[in-house]
Amino acid sequence: GTEAAFGVRLGVNVAPNFMIEASYTQSDPKLKLEGSGAIGSPSREIGDMEMRLYELNFLVPWGRGQVRPYFTIGGGVNTFRPVIQGHSYSTDSRFTANLGLGVKTFVTPNFGLRFEAKARTTYINSEDDHWYCDDWCDGDYYGDSQWYTSGEATAGLVIAF
């Protein structure tokens, strides 16, 4: 589903075409139980999933002037905590990685707008007790890893000093 998120980013220009950025983002999407298994059974909300994202990203802008497109890649920690009435769950933190494209448009040398699109994947689980043989069964076996993958589109303000 789609959920609003908010956060803050703080970046440092290391070189004219290289930036390091730390970011914090939070979102609380709804947890839904998808029906009871019967055909046509409705889904229902059962709670929220508190998600907190802490990342370090590298930005590589190109071009000069007021409009500066950039490529970004990074990684960090994604924390998950289900909030379901009547139940108590602990927070789980997992490795996450992202890849994206964006553009910064400067209205003045110190103020501008930022637009970005990212794909993110977070490692959730590895079922080490389930191993699979590849198509040729040539001695290579693979575990069943599980990843949570999401996309995001963000817009924000740039304050440069």
Side-chain angles (χ1 to χ4, degrees):
T2 301
E3 181 64 33
F6 65 91
V8 64
R9 298 175 183 182
L10 181 63
V12 175
N13 289 324
V14 177
N17 288 322
F18 186 73
M19 180 180 205
I20 297 176
E21 177 180 83
S23 67
Y24 167 79
T25 307
Q26 81 174 49
S27 178
D28 297 329
K30 299 293 182 197
L31 285 174
K32 292 183 180 179
L33 185 60
E34 296 296 333
S36 63
I39 295 174
S41 61
S43 63
R44 60 187 172 96
E45 288 184 8
I46 61 171
D48 294 323
M49 177 66 78
E50 291 180 353
M51 297 174 71
R52 307 297 180 259
L53 188 59
Y54 308 88
E55 291 181 308
L56 186 65
N57 297 300
F58 303 101
L59 281 70
V60 181
W62 63 87
R64 299 225 179 261
Q66 290 179 290
V67 178
R68 299 217 46 206
Y70 61 88
F71 166 79
T72 182
I73 187 169
V77 175
N78 199 345
T79 64
F80 301 88
R81 187 169 90 65
V83 179
I84 301 172
Q85 188 174 10
H87 299 277
S88 177
Y89 297 98
S90 63
T91 298
D92 196 14
S93 298
R94 299 296 178 150
F95 169 76
T96 188
N98 69 69
L99 188 65
L101 293 171
V103 64
K104 293 180 183 179
T105 304
F106 288 91
V107 179
T108 71
N110 297 73
F111 182 77
L113 302 172
R114 174 180 176 150
F115 304 95
E116 186 176 273
K118 267 187 192 171
R120 176 176 291 106
T121 188
T122 301
Y123 177 75
I124 300 297
N125 192 22
S126 178
E127 305 228 356
D128 293 333
D129 58 344
H130 293 87
W131 291 91
Y132 304 98
C133 183
D134 64 13
D135 290 338
W136 296 277
C137 271
D138 58 5
D140 292 328
Y141 294 86
Y142 305 95
D144 185 20
S145 294
Q146 297 171 356
W147 293 81
Y148 166 72
T149 304
S150 62
E152 72 177 38
T154 59
L157 300 176
V158 176
I159 301 171
F161 49 92

